[in-house]
Amino acid sequence: MPRPTSRFMSRPLISASLMLGGLLASAEVAAAQDASDPENLQMMGRCQGCSFQQLDLHGRRMTGIDLSNSQLRDMEFNQAALNIGIFDQAVLENVSFTSANMKGVSFRGARLVNVRFDDANLQGADFEGAVMENTDLQAGLLCNTQMPDDTMDNSDCK
């Protein structure tokens, strides 16, 4: 049986590549347009540098969300599942994480103003270099928690 030449193989590959490239470009444009839509925040999982305010995300499952370099104001994440979320270099003002599951969350270099962590699970969370104003981490569950001053707090480990 004769072996196909590269000329016959290249057309379908080029067509498939162009089609796939077009689909990916369309998906990226759609994601960029929807990134700031609060309804899509949960599904997107990543919204670096976004700005949100006055959102109630009470009880949402947002495991692994990446909101690094974002601005979050007047928001509620009470009882939300935010495990291994990333808030690095973000600015949070008047935000509540009351009773949220925040195991392994990172707030490295973030600025937290009037942020509440009442009964939040902060086990394994990282606050290294975070700047806090009127924010009390002691209100949460601390175990293997990296504090802003580079110390480890294990006060609630069992």
Side-chain angles (χ1 to χ4, degrees), residues 66-85:
D66 185 352
L67 292 170
S68 54
N69 297 301
S70 292
Q71 305 251 342
L72 309 174
R73 288 185 175 80
D74 303 315
M75 294 182 62
E76 186 177 301
F77 290 94
N78 298 344
Q79 298 178 343
L82 297 162
N83 312 44
I84 62 173

Side-chain angles (χ1 to χ4, degrees), residues 4 9 17-18 41 44 48 58 60 62 83 88 97-98 108 116 121 123:
M9 297 288 284
S17 295
L18 290 173
L41 179 60
M44 303 228 8
Q48 298 172 335
H58 181 98
R60 297 268 180 109
M62 303 171 78
N83 312 44
D88 294 348
F97 293 102
T98 299
R108 298 183 111 198
R116 298 185 58 108
N121 185 342
Q123 182 177 353

Side-chain angles (χ1 to χ4, degrees), residues 8 11 21 26 49 55 67 72 86 90-91 98-99 108 114-115 139-140 143 149:
F8 295 112
R11 281 192 180 156
S26 297
L55 287 180
L67 292 170
L72 309 174
I86 303 170
V91 175
T98 299
S99 300
R108 298 183 111 198
N114 299 322
V115 177
C143 181
D149 64 358

